[in-house]
Amino acid sequence: MKKSIYIVLAVIMIITACTKDLSELNVDPKNPSSAPSYALVTNAQRSLSNTLTSANINLNIFRLIIQHWNTTQYPDESNYDLGNREINDNVWDALYRDALRDLQEAKTLIPTDVQDPAVQQNQLAIVDILEVYTYYYLVTTYGDIPYTQALDINQPFPVYDDAATIYADLLTRLDAAIADLDPAAASFGAADIIYGGVVSDWIRFANSFKLKMGMTIADVNPALARTTVESAVAAGVLTSNAQNAEINYQGAPPNTNPIWVDLVQSGRDDFVAASTLVNTMNTLLDPRRDNYFTTDPTGNYSGAEPGTLAAYAQFSHVNPVITQPTFPGLLLDYSEVEFLLAEAVERGFNVGGTAPLHYNNAVTASITYWGGTEVEATTYLTQASVNYVTAPGDYRQKIGVQKWIALFNRSFDAWIEWRRLDAPDLEPAVDAISEIPVRYPYPVNEQNVNRANVEAAGTAIGGDDVATNLWWDVL
């Protein structure tokens, strides 16, 4: 009898032990079921920077559209063929899926992950700033987009909200996030790969981006633009290149600069300089030519005509410094802030200083950021063709041309500013299949699965076409 009891007890112990072991085996320590909130924020920041910085023709062809670069083997993208590689789908996915989804998930986890109320508040505010930043690029690229129902698992077919209404809400959210930031408390620490968790830097960045958002709507809503810009400047914006918002990439994959991945690691000789930019810089004797490009076989700087098949060996290439794995990705910089201030003065906004002063600061900041000297900047600015007083055109043209040059490695923003300021005067590429795109059509995937809402949005904005001017692009 005792022997039978021992056997039963042994079996029970074995069953209990096996049950416990099997449960533990279901947990993969290398693939956790949920990520910590800070890791999601890090990944979202990296995804944002990669999307804006990339030179991959499946994702970011703005260097081609804005005529800074030209392709050598595949002219389709230089001629605005977005559909062949589903580029408009890929940009949409990168911003919604790879950035906004991670940020949304982080917001749900932070209240549980972070116990200190002040730190929690700072983290949530920074996440909201990053969401506003991401939605800015979506709404300035497509127009009406999913917003109130976006990323909601219970809304598989989200409605498309009015772009101007979204924009107003983004400004409200940005103000609230700025008000919530407390520089006396910590935030994400090293997990923040833009500012290292320094809250005062985020306050300055958010005000600078608020300035940018205000100026974006200056032609369509000057009253809101004025109040937005003036309050941002009064609160404090970027004042030097040392305060630029950038991600410092690492020397080894997977955290390298995407341009290195696209060109060097992939062994691609797909791009040369575009003649539009190089010829302008040659005419102006721009000191950034050697920072942007290599010389061609004749020792000069030259570019291929946009949209043509160009021989790689014949023209200038992007400077190898830019293709280093550790070359930083810029999200917002001091040069752009000063250009915005110059324009704000011309529009009569109360931001202090004069238009020539801010213009000179902007050009100088760009030249020195790229490795030039203040002496070079001064010499450049004394030329009649560059000097603010004597350069040709009105303030939109003066600022627009120099801003187009300065935004060389920020082509997404160069595209936005070219549309907004209508300068420089670009001609379509040689074999262009359309006018130069002023918006992206809605993704094919969205048209397939959310057709009714996509069609309604297309009708609301005046047509789902690359030639449809968005609500803020009115001149």
Side-chain angles (χ1 to χ4, degrees):
M1 182 67 179
K2 289 182 179 179
K3 182 177 180 180
S4 299
I5 293 173
Y6 292 150
I7 292 173
V8 172
L9 288 173
V11 170
I12 293 173
M13 290 174 67
I14 291 171
I15 292 173
T16 303
C18 289
T19 302
K20 180 180 180 182
D21 289 341
L22 288 173
S23 176
E24 290 175 348
L25 287 173
N26 285 331
V27 179
D28 183 354
K30 294 184 178 180
N31 293 285
S33 58
S34 63
S37 54
Y38 65 82
L40 292 165
V41 173
T42 302
N43 194 59
Q45 290 180 338
R46 179 176 174 274
S47 295
L48 271 174
S49 181
N50 286 353
T51 301
L52 299 179
T53 305
S54 173
N56 191 314
I57 57 176
N58 295 298
L59 177 64
N60 186 339
I61 64 166
F62 293 114
R63 291 178 180 85
L64 309 178
I65 291 176
I66 208 65
Q67 298 180 11
H68 285 170
W69 293 11
N70 190 55
T71 51
T72 57
Q73 301 181 55
Y74 309 105
D76 292 351
E77 289 71 37
S78 289
N79 287 303
Y80 324 133
D81 183 352
L82 304 178
N84 185 48
R85 298 178 184 274
E86 297 184 347
I87 296 167
N88 45 324
D89 289 59
N90 296 334
V91 172
W92 181 280
D93 290 344
L95 295 176
Y96 270 115
R97 180 196 63 207
D98 301 336
L100 285 172
R101 188 177 66 178
D102 277 0
L103 292 170
Q104 176 182 265
E105 182 65 15
K107 286 174 76 171
T108 66
L109 295 175
I110 286 170
T112 302
D113 288 354
V114 181
Q115 303 306 312
D116 186 318
V119 175
Q120 182 184 121
Q121 180 170 297
N122 278 339
Q123 290 192 0
L124 289 170
I126 291 171
V127 169
D128 218 34
I129 290 167
L130 289 167
E131 286 187 336
V132 169
Y133 183 90
T134 307
Y135 272 117
Y136 172 85
Y137 287 97
L138 281 164
V139 82
T140 55
T141 299
Y142 298 94
D144 293 5
I145 56 170
Y147 182 66
T148 55
Q149 296 181 356
L151 305 174
D152 185 345
I153 194 171
N154 297 314
Q155 299 290 346
F157 310 111
V159 298
Y160 281 54
D161 296 288
D162 174 70
T165 304
I166 294 171
Y167 206 90
D169 188 62
L170 293 176
L171 286 171
T172 299
R173 288 175 59 183
L174 189 58
D175 279 339
I178 294 170
D180 281 345
L181 288 171
D182 179 5
S187 64
F188 289 105
D192 169 15
I193 56 175
I194 298 175
Y195 282 125
V198 179
V199 176
S200 58
D201 287 342
W202 277 104
I203 294 172
R204 191 183 300 110
F205 167 82
N207 282 312
S208 301
F209 195 70
K210 181 179 173 181
L211 163 66
K212 178 185 178 79
M213 290 186 69
M215 293 306 299
T216 300
I217 59 173
D219 287 332
V220 69
N221 193 338
L224 179 58
R226 175 190 288 272
T227 58
T228 300
V229 166
E230 291 180 353
S231 62
V233 174
V237 295
L238 303 180
T239 58
S240 74
N241 281 329
Q243 299 166 351
N244 291 347
E246 62 182 25
I247 286 180
N248 292 306
Y249 287 103
Q250 298 178 6
N255 297 313
T256 53
N257 187 306
I259 303 175
W260 176 82
V261 174
D262 299 332
L263 303 186
V264 180
Q265 186 184 49
S266 303
R268 309 293 302 190
D269 293 336
D270 290 346
F271 302 104
V272 296
S275 60
T276 316
L277 177 60
V278 171
N279 291 349
T280 300
M281 296 180 79
N282 282 339
T283 299
L284 299 176
L285 300 177
D286 196 301
R288 288 164 289 191
R289 284 176 294 176
D290 63 336
N291 304 117
Y292 288 4
F293 301 113
T294 64
T295 55
D296 64 20
T298 68
N300 298 306
Y301 297 97
S302 63
E305 188 174 4
T308 61
L309 278 173
Y312 182 79
Q314 184 177 345
F315 299 102
S316 295
H317 311 144
V318 62
N319 189 310
V321 172
I322 299 171
T323 64
Q324 291 296 308
T326 56
F327 193 76
L330 266 181
L331 303 180
L332 185 69
D333 63 15
Y334 169 54
S335 176
E336 182 182 12
V337 166
E338 286 288 357
F339 277 124
L340 292 168
L341 292 174
E343 181 187 348
V345 171
E346 289 284 11
R347 291 179 181 271
F349 298 172
N350 182 22
V351 295
T354 65
L357 172 64
H358 290 301
Y359 172 90
N360 290 348
N361 288 343
V363 172
T364 301
S366 176
I367 290 173
T368 55
Y369 173 82
W370 283 98
T373 66
E374 292 196 7
V375 172
E376 287 180 319
T378 299
T379 301
Y380 181 63
L381 287 164
T382 57
Q383 297 180 95
S385 55
V386 179
N387 185 276
Y388 193 78
V389 176
T390 55
D394 60 13
Y395 75 87
R396 298 171 69 96
Q397 292 166 307
K398 297 173 195 282
I399 294 171
V401 169
Q402 287 300 322
K403 198 170 192 180
W404 173 70
I405 297 172
L407 289 170
F408 172 66
N409 204 40
R410 294 180 56 205
S411 56
F412 211 134
D413 292 284
W415 181 55
I416 293 171
E417 293 304 292
W418 167 74
R419 288 180 289 160
R420 192 174 68 80
L421 293 170
D422 299 301
D425 185 15
L426 302 180
E427 294 294 328
V430 170
D431 294 315
I433 65 173
S434 69
E435 294 298 312
I436 301 176
V438 293
R439 71 173 288 271
Y440 271 8
Y442 293 122
V444 173
N445 287 338
E446 278 290 294
Q447 296 175 31
N448 289 337
V449 302
N450 196 15
R451 179 176 293 275
N453 286 321
V454 170
E455 290 180 348
T459 300
I461 65 172
D464 185 14
D465 188 80
V466 297
T468 299
N469 291 89
L470 296 181
W471 62 282
W472 51 269
D473 182 15
V474 296
L475 296 182

